[in-house]
Amino acid sequence: MKNYASLLQGNEAMAQGALYAGARFYAGYPITPSSEIAQECSKVMPKLGGVYMQMEDEIASMAAIIGASLAGVKSFTATSGPGFSLMQENLGLAIMGEVPCVVIDVQRSGPSTGLATKPAQSDIMQIRWGRHGDQELIALSPSSVGECFSLTVEAFNLAEKLRTPVVVAADEIVAHMRENILIPEPGEVEVFDRRKPTGDPAAYLPFGPAPDGVPPISSYGSDYIMHVSSSMHGPDGYSNNGPDNAARQIARKNSKFEHHRAEIVKTRTYEADDADVLFVTFGTVTRAARAAARTLRESGVRAGVLQLITVWPFAEEAVAEFGGRAKTVVVPEMNYHGQLAGEVKKVLGAGADVRRVNSWNGQIITPRDILRAI
Amino acid sequence: MTKRSEIVLAGSGGQGVLLSGTLLAEAAIQEGSNVVQTVSYGIATRGGTSMTEVIIDDDEIVFQQVEKPDVVLAMSPEAMTKYEGRAAEGALVLYDTTLVAERQGENLRGFPFTDTAVKLGNVGLANIVALGFLCGASGILSRERLEAVISERFSEPRRTANLTALRSGADAAAEALARV
């Protein structure tokens, strides 16, 4: 890997981030605006001894990365809205089976195939609630090519640490954007590998209790036999429909997110400490908000930005802290319904002055668009 | 005052304006600047509006889009219609006279990029001719820097073809400037 500032596209940076984190299996079905991730993996993966598989569709892509991960290989896929919809069922399987893997969703304008080459941030609720049965799902959202790299590494680390799928919620702008970035040397950024079982293989419980809620995960083919099922299972992985068991399994599967919450939920602030006007953002729109805040500061208005690097689980504490202090909170996002604004309102309460700035025609939100809300 | 340049390259799908923007961005980071290149295109591989924006700045680039261009390249009549007005705001507007009707005005400069490429034997080089012209006319980046980037990216025989195209555009800009 080059260690001088190089010009990299967001999609390329996400692929490079995955490889840096140790991913050696990619299965996918190319779709705009994520295709360059598949392209990059098809070029680089075989050279690293990894596997690139082009699948017949996104249902199979998701199934393939689950299988590869259960065989012990860090695996991922990339897609956009239409493909992400097809992945939901197997994404639920990955959550139920506690299979570490990463799904990159480069959001484009919908509904359906919509504006295929234009950006959106409209999959945020689908990421959170797109599958049947309630569950937690981590989503990280990059605002620059540098973050495309670093957050993909982070996505793998969280996936491995928590035995869970993680979504990188990018958008078309950042995915197709090129910026100068410095790729870190191997070892410079921490890479976490899943905890493997030790001790007597006969006593191994792939879904047993664990201090942080995350039991060690075996690999298919090893001495530690692991049975993975989409149906409710006991600590040994085999079918168990007893209510006490179900209560314990669901509680543990959720408790691991609570246990590791501080490592998962990341935000970044720009002059938010004394902000009367606070912009709450995620993804590329963060940049327009920062420019708008700077303009407001120049005219004497104390404005700042709270960037949600982690979109899910929602950063309630930070929104309450900085949003509670501000007189006005503005949530700019590229969707019609104000998917993030609703969450912000939920935290700040009905009396708070929470304003929306939305774009749903594939056009980028500009600092001027945001300033109009003030 | 920091050095900042905002450039818009616009044309129709297939002309290669996105690649020209990437080459420009690559050259700029070799000079130690920060760069952001964004793109906008339609769903067809040929035709439709295709556009790229490049911002070069010594400082951090916060908002990623061009708000006040210093230079615009228009490679199609549609692009010219969209960006011609920027000349009055001070932007240098360069356009392809093979495809866009010639016109007079301050900050407007036309050159037959496509015709020149055809004479060089490959219409697909029009974007590189234009890139050479843009650098010569605007002084944003040196010809040598772009030559280095092209030499690195392309292998023969495309390397020579692209270098020839770049030089013909840069030479034409130098001549045009000498005439003023």
Side-chain angles (χ1 to χ4, degrees):
Chain A
M1 254 169 236
K2 294 172 186 173
N3 197 22
Y4 56 86
S6 49
L7 186 74
L8 223 55
Q9 192 200 44
N11 277 334
E12 293 167 348
M14 286 186 275
Q16 291 288 337
L19 296 168
Y20 186 95
R24 291 296 180 269
F25 185 91
Y26 177 94
Y29 185 85
I31 179 172
T32 299
S34 75
S35 299
E36 293 84 358
I37 299 173
Q39 189 178 16
E40 182 77 2
C41 285
S42 72
K43 273 191 287 192
V44 182
M45 207 55 111
K47 290 180 191 159
L48 296 173
V51 173
Y52 168 83
M53 280 186 91
Q54 179 155 335
M55 305 303 293
E56 67 269 35
D57 61 29
E58 291 85 348
I59 299 173
S61 304
M62 190 67 219
I65 70 164
I66 290 171
S69 181
L70 287 172
V73 182
K74 291 188 186 180
S75 59
F76 76 120
T77 188
T79 188
S80 186
F84 192 60
S85 295
L86 291 177
M87 289 179 181
Q88 296 304 318
E89 187 183 14
N90 280 332
L91 199 46
L93 167 61
I95 292 166
M96 188 60 151
E98 299 179 67
V99 184
C101 55
V102 171
V103 176
I104 299 172
D105 176 19
V106 181
Q107 297 168 85
R108 69 188 213 188
S109 198
S112 195
T113 39
L115 298 164
T117 61
K118 301 297 174 193
Q121 296 176 301
S122 47
D123 296 351
I124 290 306
M125 280 300 165
Q126 189 193 17
I127 291 168
R128 182 65 189 86
W129 299 112
R131 299 147 306 283
H132 56 275
D134 64 345
Q135 69 247 194
E136 193 70 80
L137 182 58
I138 299 169
L140 312 176
S141 188
S143 69
S144 65
V145 173
E147 285 180 3
C148 281
F149 182 90
S150 63
L151 295 188
T152 306
V153 176
E154 187 58 24
F156 274 94
N157 285 346
L158 292 172
E160 294 284 313
K161 205 173 281 180
L162 280 95
R163 269 189 73 175
T164 190
V166 176
V167 174
V168 178
D171 57 61
E172 185 274 341
I173 306 166
V174 80
H176 281 160
M177 183 191 293
R178 284 184 169 83
E179 285 186 284
N180 47 303
I181 91 159
L182 209 60
I183 301 273
E185 292 284 0
E188 211 175 309
V189 175
E190 193 206 0
V191 167
F192 191 91
D193 295 325
R194 63 190 69 178
R195 202 159 58 84
K196 299 269 187 190
T198 52
D200 179 12
Y204 172 52
L205 294 174
F207 298 94
D212 67 345
V214 188
I217 180 169
S218 177
S219 302
Y220 280 172
S222 84
D223 291 341
Y224 294 87
I225 301 202
M226 178 170 60
H227 186 264
V228 179
S229 169
S230 61
S231 293
M232 187 53 70
H233 41 262
D236 58 0
Y238 289 93
S239 184
N240 184 334
N241 282 356
D244 290 349
N245 171 70
R248 271 196 305 273
Q249 282 295 336
I250 293 298
R252 182 187 54 74
K253 287 176 202 292
N254 284 293
S255 75
K256 58 189 184 183
F257 297 93
E258 288 146 27
H259 186 92
H260 288 281
R261 188 171 170 89
E263 295 152 76
I264 302 168
V265 181
K266 297 281 167 66
T267 59
R268 186 176 290 135
T269 56
Y270 299 94
E271 300 191 278
D273 285 334
D274 67 340
D276 292 328
V277 174
L278 182 75
F279 301 121
V280 180
T281 64
F282 67 103
T284 319
V285 173
T286 303
R287 304 170 74 125
R290 284 183 62 199
R294 185 184 279 181
T295 303
L296 287 172
R297 286 263 169 193
E298 282 163 8
S299 63
V301 178
R302 289 201 295 260
V305 178
L306 171 64
Q307 178 193 357
L308 308 184
I309 293 170
T310 308
V311 181
W312 303 118
F314 193 64
E316 287 152 24
E317 305 88 342
V319 170
E321 183 190 345
F322 294 100
R325 239 182 267 164
K327 294 190 179 88
T328 301
V329 175
V330 182
V331 187
E333 54 189 315
M334 288 183 287
N335 57 50
Y336 184 86
H337 287 281
Q339 297 184 17
L340 192 76
E343 294 302 301
V344 172
K345 279 182 194 164
K346 213 192 272 180
V347 171
L348 296 178
D353 179 15
V354 178
R355 302 178 193 180
R356 285 169 42 177
V357 175
N358 299 87
S359 153
W360 55 84
N361 60 352
Q363 295 303 297
I364 291 162
I365 293 178
T366 65
R368 211 173 300 166
D369 294 334
I370 296 172
L371 289 170
R372 260 184 235 120
I374 306 299
Chain B
M1 207 39 200
T2 60
K3 206 178 85 180
R4 182 182 173 94
S5 303
E6 300 192 8
I7 304 128
V8 175
L9 312 175
S12 58
Q15 281 183 313
V17 294
L18 268 49
L19 176 62
S20 292
T22 302
L23 295 172
L24 199 59
E26 278 176 356
I29 59 169
Q30 288 195 3
E31 298 204 342
S33 302
N34 289 313
V35 179
V36 174
Q37 182 196 13
T38 53
V39 298
S40 173
Y41 50 81
I43 52 172
T45 50
R46 292 283 182 276
T49 302
S50 200
M51 192 264 275
T52 181
E53 300 181 354
V54 179
I55 303 175
I56 303 168
D57 201 328
D58 292 340
D59 272 347
E60 184 195 5
I61 299 162
V62 178
F63 183 50
Q64 74 281 356
Q65 306 298 141
V66 165
E67 292 187 285
K68 195 180 177 302
D70 301 296
V71 185
V72 175
L73 171 70
M75 294 285 286
S76 70
E78 295 76 22
M80 190 62 178
T81 304
K82 189 169 176 192
Y83 291 105
E84 192 175 2
R86 295 292 193 165
E89 297 166 15
L92 176 63
V93 177
L94 312 171
Y95 63 99
D96 189 343
T97 53
T98 311
L99 305 166
V100 180
E102 275 199 69
R103 56 205 76 192
Q104 300 300 315
E106 205 178 343
N107 295 331
L108 293 174
R109 206 174 286 277
F111 187 77
F113 304 126
T114 300
D115 265 354
T116 306
V118 169
K119 280 177 194 146
L120 290 173
N122 183 350
V123 66
L125 292 168
N127 60 332
I128 305 298
V129 176
L131 182 63
F133 193 89
L134 184 149
C135 287
S138 68
I140 284 173
L141 285 164
S142 71
R143 174 198 301 219
E144 290 71 25
R145 191 66 76 184
L146 277 160
E147 284 177 354
V149 166
I150 285 173
S151 298
E152 209 174 294
R153 174 179 279 260
F154 298 104
S155 52
E156 293 297 352
R158 291 194 297 159
R159 182 184 293 146
T160 301
N162 279 287
L163 286 173
T164 307
L166 183 86
R167 284 169 192 147
S168 67
D171 288 344
E175 275 171 42
L177 285 178
R179 263 188 273 121
V180 174

